[in-house]
Amino acid sequence: IRVLASRAGIQCKLEPVNLFFRSSDRHLRPDLLLRYPGSICNNSNKDIVLDIRVCDPICRSNLYVDAIDKAEKEKQRKYGPHCVASNMCFVPVVFESFGRWSAKTTSLVKALVTRAYERDPDYMVLSRLVHYWIKRLSCVLQRTQAEVMLNRYN
């Protein structure tokens, strides 16, 4: 997602520290900060805070609930109030370990791809660019999941 945001011309900061200086918990460290993103988040020009989670839909605690919905609510509860106090927009980026994406994640990726396309419309057709980034991020997710599984049993 950081590479995609950079291609879209958005400044990125990986795991920013002391981001919530107006908040009571200054030690929170989200995964990514998108600086000056334009109108990607709710048609405002606020900085966007992203925190990424990969959840397991067959985990015991997720058997009777939607794992993505549960993870989004937990992230929103953790970061939402701090982002509001710091005048930033928060987007939880949530994937299931089997590859499903949350609606907010899909919307964010499509907005970033559209922004990248607008910077260089002659590079590739927009629909092809969207498919490319969805496939690229899905491959990264699956490769990371495979590494986790291999490390667990070695």
Side-chain angles (χ1 to χ4, degrees):
I1 291 180
R2 182 179 54 84
V3 173
L4 174 56
S6 295
R7 294 268 170 99
I10 298 171
Q11 295 178 14
C12 303
K13 186 162 185 175
L14 189 63
E15 296 183 344
V17 293
N18 298 325
L19 184 61
F20 303 114
F21 59 89
R22 294 182 187 151
S23 177
S24 59
D25 191 354
R26 296 178 186 205
H27 302 290
L28 282 176
R29 192 182 70 201
D31 294 319
L32 197 60
L33 173 66
L34 305 182
R35 305 283 312 211
Y36 317 113
S39 60
I40 288 178
C41 186
N42 299 329
N43 292 322
S44 68
N45 198 23
K46 296 179 180 179
D47 291 346
I48 301 175
V49 175
L50 303 176
D51 200 67
I52 300 167
R53 176 178 286 177
V54 178
C55 57
D56 183 2
I58 58 172
C59 172
R60 283 185 190 209
S61 62
N62 293 334
L63 282 180
Y64 302 106
V65 297
D66 181 15
I68 285 182
D69 188 47
K70 180 181 172 187
E72 278 186 341
K73 286 178 182 173
E74 289 172 359
K75 291 291 182 185
Q76 190 66 44
R77 191 169 37 253
K78 182 176 180 180
Y79 289 102
H82 301 291
C83 288
V84 169
S86 299
N87 197 28
M88 292 185 243
C89 182
F90 175 68
V91 178
V93 178
V94 181
F95 304 95
E96 278 187 354
S97 57
F98 295 146
R100 194 178 97 172
W101 296 20
S102 73
K104 291 179 183 178
T105 301
T106 303
S107 297
L108 174 72
V109 168
K110 286 183 178 180
L112 290 172
V113 170
T114 301
R115 180 84 174 270
Y117 172 77
E118 290 168 352
R119 289 189 69 200
D120 188 11
D122 296 329
Y123 176 68
M124 192 182 296
V125 178
L126 178 60
S127 61
R128 187 174 257 178
L129 199 58
V130 169
H131 287 290
Y132 166 78
W133 280 103
I134 288 173
K135 289 176 185 177
R136 181 173 173 173
L137 290 169
S138 294
C139 286
V140 168
L141 173 67
Q142 293 306 311
R143 186 180 66 226
T144 305
Q145 288 299 109
E147 288 172 3
V148 167
M149 295 298 289
L150 287 172
N151 290 335
R152 181 178 293 168
Y153 297 109
N154 284 340

